[in-house]
Structure formats: C-alpha cells, structure tokens
Amino acid sequence: MEELKHECGVAMIRLLKPLDYYEQKYGTWAWGFNKLYLMMEKQHNRGQEGAGFATVSMQTEPGREYMFREKAEGKDAITDIFSRVTREMAGELYMGHLRYSTTGKSGLQFVHPFLRRNNWRAKNLCLCGNFNMTNIDEVFRRMVAQGQSPRIYSDSYITLDLMGHRLDREVERNYEEAKAQGLEGLDITRYIEDHIDMARVLQTTMKDYDGGYVMCGLTGSGEMFAVRDPWGIRPAYYYQDEEIVAVASERPVIQTTFDLDDEHIKELKAGNALIVNKSGQLTVHSPLLKRRSGLEAPCSFERIYFSRGSDSDIYRERKRLGEQLVPTIMQAIGNDVEHTVCSFIPNTAEVAFYGIVEGFRRLGHDIRTEKVAWKDIKLRTFIAEGSERNDLAAHVYDITYGSLEPYVDNLVIIDDSIVRGTTLKESIFKILDRLHPKKIVMVSSSPQIRYPDFYGIDMARLEELCAFRAAISLIPGYSSLTPAPSRWGEGSGNTQGQTLPPLMAEVYRKCKDEPERENHVRRIYAPFTVEEINRKIVEILRPEGMQSPVELVFQSLEGLHEACPNHCGDWYFTGRYPTPGGVRLVNQAFVNYVEQTLKLQL
C-alpha cells in the first residue's frame, strides 16, 4: 500500500558480432536499441523518477562522435530518451538505467548514466548503477587528501571521478609499457586499448566502499563491466551466447527479452566482476572484491516486494510467505473460516495471497476470496489543505460494497509490508471500516520493519517506521515527552527542558559514544514482544471513529528465512547490518531522532 522508492535498475548489452550482422539477420539497424528498450521497460518497477542510456560505437572514425548518452526525468523518461535515437547512435555497447532517488537529490544532473569525456578513447568512462554508499564521506576525504577536488558531493559523481582517476592511471601505465617496447603513434593507442586491465581499475576503485551496489560501466575503447558488492546486497544477472552478453538487475528481464529459460541465466555472485573487453571476450573475476567484515547478505526485500514476481523462484517464495501465515491467521479469526473473507492490497501482495488460499486448502478449508479494495485514480489532493486534504486522501482506495456480510464476516487482507502506516491510517482502515467487518486481520508477508535501510531504500529515518514509533511509545516515561501531536499522530512536539526516559538516554549515549561498535537501537525493542508492539501499532494507526476491531499479523523471522533461504539480508527487520557503515548510520539515525525530532540533547 505504501509505495517505496528503492533500488534502481540496470541493463547492459554487448553485441559480439559486426553491426551489419544484426541488421541482416533481424532486419533492423536498431536491434540493439530495441532489446535495450525492452530490458528497461521490463524493469520500470525499479525506477520512475528518471532514465538514461549510453552507447559506444567502436568503428567510428576520428572526428565523429562515438559515445552517446541520453537522459530524461519523469515517469515517461524511457519513452522520451528512446524517441531521440538515431542511426548514428547504434554501436556495439549499450547501457541503460532507471532511477529512484534515495538521497533526496533530484534533477537531471543526478539521472544516470554519468559521463566523463577525454580525447583518448580509453579514458572516456560512462557509469551507472544500483547503489547507495554508506561511507561516501570517508571516500571523499581520501580523494581530497590525494589532491583531487570532486565537483559535486554525491556518491555517483564521486565514484565517477575516482574510477576515472584509476582508469587514467591504467592508460598511462600501458602508455609507458608501449613506449618501452618502441611503439609509436597509433600503435601506442592500439596497445593501450588492447591491454586495459579493467579488473585492476575496479579493484582499486571499489575496495574501500561500504554499501550495497551493482556498478556498471562502459569505456570509449569498448570495455564493458558490472561489479557486485562483496555482501551481495544488490542483485545482478547475466547471459552470454555467440551474439550477445546481457546484464540486468532481474533474471526475468533477460529471459523475456531474449526468450530464454531461467537455467540459462547466471547470477553475478557477491564481490564478482563481469568484464567484457574490447575484443568481446567475457571474463568473470571471482572474487574481485573481498568483504571487510560480516557475511553475505542478499536483500530479502528484493524477494518480498521489489523484484518482479514473474521470476520462478520469487513466485514460489512469495507463495510460501503467504502460506506460512495461515496458522497465525487461523488464531486471529478464532478458526471461523466459514465467516471469513480473504483479499489483498496492493497488487504486489497478490502472490502471497495465493499462498494463503493454498495454505487454507491444505488444511481442508475452502476460504472465501473477494476483490475487496481497489486502487482508485490519483486524486488531486494538492488543491485542498488540512482536513479537506486528509478527506480526499482517504478515498485513494475504494471498496467492493456487498463483498462480505456486515458484522458477521471477518476480513483478512494481506500486504507485502507495513512500513510507515500512513496509508493504513489515512485511507485503508477508513474505507474497509465501511464494510463493517466483524474483525479486520491486517497481514504482512514480511516481519515488522524496525530499522532504516541505508543500501538503497528510501526509509532512512527511524521515526517514519510505525514499529519504531510503537516501541518508543511503550517505554515508561515516553508519554511525558509528547505534549503536542506530531505528523505521525502519537505526538512528538516541543520537548525542550524535559528528560529522556532511562532506556532512551542509555541508547542515545551509546549511539553517540560507540557509533560503530554495534547497533545500539536494538535495545529499544528488547523489552517488548512482537504482540505488544503489534497492539501499539494498531493503537497508533487506528483512525478516529473507526468501529471494526483490528489485529495485525506479521511474518516471523523464521518464516522469512524458511521461504527465502538464499537471501538472508534482514537488517530492516533485525538490525543486523552487514556492513560497518550500516551500523554507524542506524546509530546516527537515533541520535538525529533525539536531537532533531525530540529536540533534546544530553
């Protein structure tokens, strides 16, 4: 229900045959563009704030453009950039990107790919990625200490500058080797381009980064690469045959675009780099990057929500996530299956809904299912203010009247996650209450989201998470800090001159004094059970005047890992961040909450 901005999408194609081969076989000079367009559209779910592509033509004569880039903002950005395609842009290398901003920085200058120009083809670099770096300030300081002066402070531009610097050194190393061999003129250029060691460039660039990323790039001389973070947080898949090499953020994208079975697609493993050199030879360097600490932690949210459910493994996992919830749902409805209706919101929860239905059937129950809620057109709430705006927001969803018997039927409705809870409070609960169910059982196929994500999802503030707001509301003495209502409803107004409760004060001091030792925010949740926090979440999110009883059912951590055994990244649920940067940032988030939201300092 609450749309999360999240990981970006990447798409890459390397044509391994001469360009006229594809025109003769497939009947169009734009075959590469057509495939890139399809790969990007199939990942539209991963980014609707902007899109861009880049191409490299390796056969262009000096004096003519050989490296092209187009970028656009907005939900129609893909259509926009491909409407500008011309024949001269066709090349052997193609790279596309879809952007969701997780840093608050917007504008065309922050839309990928990023391009670094130079008269030496081998020094031209185009970069895009699905990433969020947690230690960019540390990397920035290192660059400045070396004498560099990045023009823009963002992880994208800093990475471009850093990798460009390492690429320059690699070109210069090859230049010296060529000179030592007595080569001159164009022979030196050819030697440089034929001996670029892109693995060395990537290793020296990325070795000190902390964060989740898949970094992709092209060089003007014809190198193509993709490198995945050592923790495997962000996903990447690839395929190779005699005609192409293709890379994408999701497996079904490559399957659909090139009509392949899933066993033909390979996953780029954690810390590995895929490199296609100028001659078209593919090498996977394993491992190129090593973890500085921790274990592999592929993002479980990719499986629950972000990636397309058309992936065969993800489809099975989401069904399993739903099926595992059936025993808890049975308890919540008092085993009264006969008087229970099951549904889902939003569409991304549909597969988990099928799992619930299948789970009931395995127990011998044919539970009733209905399309209870509908996402209506986006209402133009900007014309209204205050209570009028809230009233309009309540009608973003509509209901199917008569879909259950009032005051008799329970309503079980599943979502894939409950993050902030604002849509539940302002819209969903109000509209479902009009059906007068005997009880609403709100089900989440993921566990309680207790901690921010710092690796690519736009939830970096603790106070935005309804589970965190519920937990601190349970702490003895917290209520005295909240004399004025806050935007979240439970209150966090002017607290100057007041004192933090002992537990919060202890956590605050540890977050300030030992920010990198461990996640001290976990102590906030330790005194309370999941059920206690569930009840408080209901109390916080329940809109005034609502009559129907509400119970929350969350996926268990054990259930999550049973359903998604190969994706153990669960830091947003458990607080177990895989990198030191994640630990440091969650502690800083609590400090920010105390000092900026509560306006207290100890």
Side-chain angles (χ1 to χ4, degrees):
M1 281 170 284
E2 301 167 81
E3 183 179 340
L4 284 174
K5 300 175 183 178
H6 53 89
E7 295 88 352
C8 302
V10 296
M12 303 182 78
I13 298 172
R14 172 62 156 90
L15 304 183
L16 301 177
K17 302 282 189 181
L19 291 182
D20 57 4
Y21 168 90
Y22 302 92
E23 186 167 4
Q24 292 172 14
K25 181 173 180 178
Y26 299 107
T28 175
W29 61 267
W31 186 82
F33 274 116
N34 293 340
K35 293 302 183 183
L36 183 69
Y37 171 78
L38 186 57
M39 290 177 74
M40 292 177 69
E41 280 289 6
K42 290 297 179 181
Q43 295 181 99
H44 211 153
N45 57 300
R46 303 189 72 89
Q48 298 179 30
E49 290 187 9
F53 73 71
T55 69
V56 175
S57 173
M58 297 168 59
Q59 307 303 321
T60 306
E61 294 296 324
R64 298 182 62 186
E65 184 59 80
Y66 55 88
M67 201 165 189
F68 298 89
R69 180 190 61 173
E70 294 290 341
K71 303 194 298 182
E73 290 185 277
K75 61 183 179 65
D76 298 320
I78 299 177
T79 303
D80 187 355
I81 59 175
F82 280 93
S83 70
R84 307 175 204 164
V85 166
T86 62
R87 186 171 188 135
E88 68 173 349
M89 294 179 179
E92 293 84 1
L93 288 80
Y94 296 82
M95 181 169 71
H97 186 267
L98 297 115
R99 182 176 193 259
Y100 257 138
S101 168
T102 58
T103 63
K105 294 180 179 178
S106 59
L108 194 60
Q109 68 172 327
F110 293 105
V111 176
H112 302 209
F114 301 97
L115 181 58
R116 186 177 187 264
R117 295 284 196 181
N118 194 283
N119 277 349
W120 290 77
R121 290 179 66 115
K123 288 188 175 183
N124 284 268
L125 176 65
C126 200
L127 206 61
C128 78
N130 170 14
F131 59 87
N132 204 54
M133 307 303 187
T134 60
N135 68 330
I136 197 63
D137 51 348
E138 174 187 329
V139 174
F140 178 81
R141 287 194 299 269
R142 233 175 247 163
M143 291 176 67
V144 172
Q146 292 173 351
Q148 296 189 64
S149 183
R151 296 179 299 109
I152 299 175
Y153 191 93
S154 78
D155 49 8
S156 304
Y157 278 95
I158 288 173
T159 303
L160 179 70
D161 284 343
L162 180 58
M163 192 176 295
H165 171 69
R166 300 311 312 174
L167 183 60
D168 288 349
R169 300 290 80 78
E170 176 64 16
V171 170
E172 290 158 11
R173 181 184 69 83
N174 282 305
Y175 175 82
E176 295 299 330
E177 288 185 0
K179 291 287 286 184
Q181 294 180 26
L183 300 179
E184 296 180 353
L186 290 178
D187 288 336
I188 293 179
T189 299
R190 295 188 190 99
Y191 181 91
I192 291 171
E193 294 182 357
D194 291 341
H195 291 82
I196 292 291
D197 186 349
M198 205 65 215
R200 187 203 307 264
V201 174
L202 293 174
Q203 191 171 46
T204 53
T205 300
M206 307 303 298
K207 63 183 178 65
D208 294 323
Y209 269 120
D210 181 301
Y213 57 85
V214 171
M215 194 69 65
C216 301
L218 310 175
T219 71
S221 56
E223 299 271 348
M224 182 179 99
F225 63 85
V227 59
R228 189 179 182 190
D229 68 82
W231 297 272
I233 295 171
R234 299 275 69 83
Y237 297 84
Y238 69 97
Y239 167 76
Q240 179 190 24
D241 61 23
E242 73 239 4
E243 294 185 346
I244 58 135
V245 175
V247 178
S249 294
E250 299 184 27
R251 182 169 62 176
V253 172
I254 302 176
Q255 287 182 250
T256 300
T257 301
F258 298 101
D259 191 19
L260 301 167
D261 295 328
D262 55 9
E263 62 264 24
H264 294 129
I265 317 297
K266 297 180 180 179
E267 183 177 8
L268 186 63
K269 302 297 184 183
N272 286 8
L274 176 150
I275 299 174
V276 184
N277 66 13
K278 179 184 175 182
S279 63
Q281 181 181 4
L282 182 148
T283 306
V284 176
H285 294 258
S286 170
L288 183 77
L289 304 172
K290 296 181 179 180
R291 290 186 300 277
R292 290 188 288 168
S293 63
L295 302 172
E296 282 191 30
C299 176
S300 59
F301 236 122
E302 283 280 353
R303 320 300 283 185
I304 298 167
Y305 173 67
F306 292 145
S307 293
R308 291 165 63 93
S310 55
D311 184 283
S312 57
D313 290 339
I314 292 177
Y315 186 83
R316 287 192 295 269
E317 290 167 7
R318 290 182 183 176
K319 283 190 72 174
R320 183 63 181 149
L321 286 169
E323 183 180 352
Q324 288 175 159
L325 290 163
V326 170
T328 312
I329 294 171
M330 286 283 285
Q331 293 178 6
I333 63 174
N335 297 314
D336 188 7
V337 180
E338 182 181 356
H339 298 105
T340 296
V341 172
C342 189
S343 191
F344 61 90
I345 307 175
N347 288 341
T348 50
E350 185 175 4
V351 178
F353 161 77
Y354 293 145
I356 289 177
V357 174
E358 190 169 301
F360 273 104
R361 286 176 181 164
R362 289 182 187 277
L363 295 177
H365 300 293
D366 190 13
I367 193 168
R368 285 168 53 205
T369 61
E370 301 285 356
K371 179 71 173 177
V372 170
W374 303 77
K375 183 74 176 287
D376 212 337
I377 60 171
K378 286 204 171 185
L379 300 172
R380 298 186 178 274
T381 57
F382 63 83
I383 62 173
E385 297 180 359
S387 60
E388 292 180 357
R389 183 183 179 93
N390 291 337
D391 182 62
L392 285 171
H395 294 83
V396 170
Y397 286 87
D398 207 347
I399 51 170
T400 303
Y401 292 95
S403 54
L404 65 157
E405 186 175 349
Y407 307 107
V408 174
D409 287 335
N410 301 304
L411 175 59
V412 174
I413 195 152
I414 186 167
D415 190 3
D416 33 47
S417 59
I418 299 173
V419 185
R420 302 175 181 90
T422 49
T423 308
L424 284 176
K425 184 179 182 71
E426 295 173 3
S427 179
I428 297 296
F429 281 160
K430 290 180 180 179
I431 203 74
L432 294 181
D433 195 43
R434 295 185 179 188
L435 293 172
H436 305 298
K438 180 181 178 182
K439 183 180 187 179
I440 296 174
V441 180
M442 190 71 223
V443 181
S444 170
S445 63
S446 67
Q448 290 176 353
I449 297 174
R450 297 181 168 192
Y451 305 93
D453 181 80
F454 302 107
Y455 304 121
I457 310 172
D458 69 330
M459 46 182 187
R461 293 168 60 88
L462 277 165
E463 61 269 30
E464 290 183 352
L465 309 178
C466 61
F468 176 78
R469 304 200 308 273
I472 59 172
S473 297
L474 290 168
I475 295 173
Y478 175 79
S479 60
S480 65
L481 291 175
T482 58
S486 75
R487 60 176 296 204
W488 305 109
E490 77 280 9
S492 59
N494 181 15
T495 55
Q496 291 182 349
Q498 301 185 51
T499 305
L500 281 176
L503 174 59
M504 294 180 68
E506 179 188 8
V507 172
Y508 173 79
R509 282 193 296 269
K510 286 188 174 292
C511 288
K512 290 276 282 189
D513 298 340
E514 304 171 356
E516 298 184 1
R517 181 176 177 183
E518 62 178 281
N519 178 2
H520 304 294
V521 184
R522 297 181 71 184
R523 298 167 186 254
I524 293 293
Y525 295 95
F528 313 114
T529 65
V530 170
E531 290 72 23
E532 287 176 314
I533 294 174
N534 281 355
R535 289 192 291 271
K536 180 56 73 169
I537 291 174
V538 171
E539 182 182 321
I540 290 172
L541 299 184
R542 187 181 182 87
E544 186 176 351
M546 183 179 182
Q547 297 180 354
S548 306
V550 177
E551 183 171 342
L552 290 180
V553 170
F554 283 93
Q555 182 68 250
S556 67
L557 288 168
E558 295 77 16
L560 169 68
H561 293 306
E562 193 278 331
C564 309
N566 298 320
H567 291 75
C568 55
D570 61 3
W571 52 91
Y572 14 71
F573 309 128
T574 65
R576 295 192 292 257
Y577 289 88
T579 76
V583 173
R584 176 176 51 82
L585 289 177
V586 72
N587 288 326
Q588 185 60 48
F590 188 80
V591 172
N592 293 343
Y593 168 69
V594 171
E595 296 181 357
Q596 298 175 14
T597 302
L598 296 181
K599 302 188 184 306
L600 285 172
Q601 282 189 305
L602 302 184

